[in-house]
Amino acid sequence: MTTAKERTDLLAQVGLDVQNGATIGRVLGTGNIEHATERADGTMEATVRIEPDEIAFDPSILILPHGGDLELTLINDDLNTHCALLPSNGDRKFIWLVNHSKGMAKLNLDGPGYYWFSSPTGNDEGRGLTGAIVVLGEVPPEARLDRPDQPRP
């Protein structure tokens, strides 16, 4: 569980609280923030839960230290059925999560940025069942736009 002070400090530490930074930290105003765990082979792993009667992913913001493969475990502890529409290079992943179920998705997010995930069934998104995966790092030189350097804050 993240306290309000810890959340503020963590948002500042990873650069999610500044203008022209990864502004997702200001968009998703509630929920916990966690870092994915990196295994020896470079694959990252994390678990996201839907707690009973909360209609929220926990954590709502998942931070990856760099692009790559992520094994994401999703657990639905709620009494209602939900799903997860997840980002991944090449194709999105969809997992149906009946009540008290668990699923796993293997995602590939190779570039820095933020990626949204949600439960598009019913009105889950409108009620707050959305989250983000923030991939830290810089865009490789070959992928940068051919334009003059831009001022950075």
Side-chain angles (χ1 to χ4, degrees):
M1 180 85 36
T2 309
T3 67
K5 174 73 171 119
E6 290 169 339
R7 185 176 199 287
T8 301
D9 292 345
L10 185 56
L11 287 171
Q13 178 185 356
V14 296
L16 298 177
D17 67 337
V18 295
Q19 183 179 4
N20 296 328
T23 58
I24 192 70
R26 292 180 187 251
V27 176
L28 295 174
T30 60
N32 292 320
I33 303 167
E34 287 188 20
H35 290 269
T37 304
E38 189 169 4
R39 296 193 302 232
D41 67 356
T43 301
M44 294 164 278
E45 61 185 355
T47 299
V48 174
R49 299 184 97 86
I50 303 170
E51 299 289 346
D53 300 323
E54 292 196 14
I55 312 293
F57 288 113
D58 184 26
S60 62
I61 300 174
L62 178 63
I63 301 171
L64 276 57
H66 55 79
D69 293 321
L70 169 68
E71 289 185 5
L72 185 63
T73 301
L74 295 124
I75 301 172
N76 181 11
D77 289 329
D78 198 15
L79 297 174
N80 292 307
T81 298
H82 301 287
C83 67
L85 183 60
L86 302 159
S88 185
N89 291 341
D91 198 10
R92 292 190 214 174
K93 308 288 182 174
F94 181 87
I95 295 183
W96 191 250
L97 297 164
V98 297
N99 49 330
H100 299 292
S101 68
K102 175 179 174 180
M104 180 181 276
K106 293 185 179 186
L107 310 177
N108 180 272
L109 303 170
D110 65 355
Y114 56 90
Y115 301 83
W116 295 97
F117 63 97
S118 67
S119 174
T121 60
N123 188 29
D124 283 354
E125 290 174 317
R127 293 169 37 203
L129 199 50
T130 60
I133 300 171
V134 178
V135 179
L136 302 178
E138 289 292 325
V139 175
E142 65 273 10
R144 294 184 182 156
L145 295 174
D146 184 20
R147 64 179 187 176
D149 287 340
Q150 299 296 305
R152 308 266 296 176

